[in-house]
Amino acid sequence: MSRPAVIIDTNVVVAGLLTKQDASPVVRILDGMLGAAFPFVLSEALLAEYRTVLVRPVLRKLHGLTVAEVEAILTDLAQHAIVLAPVAAPPAPDPDDQLLWGLLAARADLQLVTGDKLLLRDAGMQGRVISPQAFLESE
């Protein structure tokens, strides 16, 4: 049985690049995305958000990648992704995360993998919003 597709929140991608522990769930998820180990969903807006965050000067100092290296990683991710457009959705717990809610609403079988505690606690999305650790444990 194949695994359902997931949406990977920006905080997981960022943490995957910043964490130095190879066994960390966020590193394993980012490596899995780059290796096409599981199906994942992107939208043009989510990919743009990944880029905007990853090229911030403060984060570039932490991860040590050039803008060109960030763009190469994002190109690899985009090549392996299922690209969907967000649809109208109920309000997200945080308005800055409405894009993620719109992607979740695009397909009933999608789950969101995030480290955002506010999103993880949303009662209306229980079972659809999971932590990186829970995602890996479901393999």
Side-chain angles (χ1 to χ4, degrees):
M1 178 176 168
S2 66
R3 171 178 216 134
V6 292
I7 303 158
I8 306 297
D9 196 350
T10 305
N11 62 56
V12 175
V13 173
V14 170
L17 285 174
L18 297 180
T19 303
K20 304 298 182 211
Q21 301 168 356
D22 290 344
S24 167
V26 292
V27 170
R28 291 175 52 202
I29 289 169
L30 181 58
D31 287 347
M33 293 171 76
L34 290 166
F38 55 85
F40 64 94
V41 167
L42 285 176
S43 67
E44 289 180 21
L46 183 57
L47 188 62
E49 179 178 288
Y50 286 178
R51 185 189 186 285
T52 298
V53 173
L54 290 172
V55 300
R56 287 180 183 157
V58 69
L59 280 179
R60 285 194 46 229
K61 282 183 184 178
L62 293 172
H63 60 57
L65 300 172
T66 65
V67 172
E69 290 169 327
V70 167
E71 289 176 349
I73 290 168
L74 297 177
T75 298
D76 286 347
L77 291 178
Q79 289 175 346
H80 299 302
I82 300 163
V83 179
L84 292 178
V87 299
D94 178 345
D96 290 338
D97 292 316
Q98 192 61 40
L99 165 65
L100 299 172
W101 254 228
L103 280 172
L104 276 172
R107 280 189 16 199
D109 64 328
L110 294 175
Q111 287 183 309
L112 170 65
V113 179
T114 185
D116 185 325
K117 303 228 183 299
L118 181 63
L119 299 182
L120 287 164
R121 287 192 304 257
D122 185 87
M125 290 290 190
Q126 278 193 331
R128 297 205 58 204
V129 180
I130 60 174
S131 70
Q133 184 65 42
F135 172 71
L136 292 176
E137 290 171 356
S138 70
E139 288 187 304

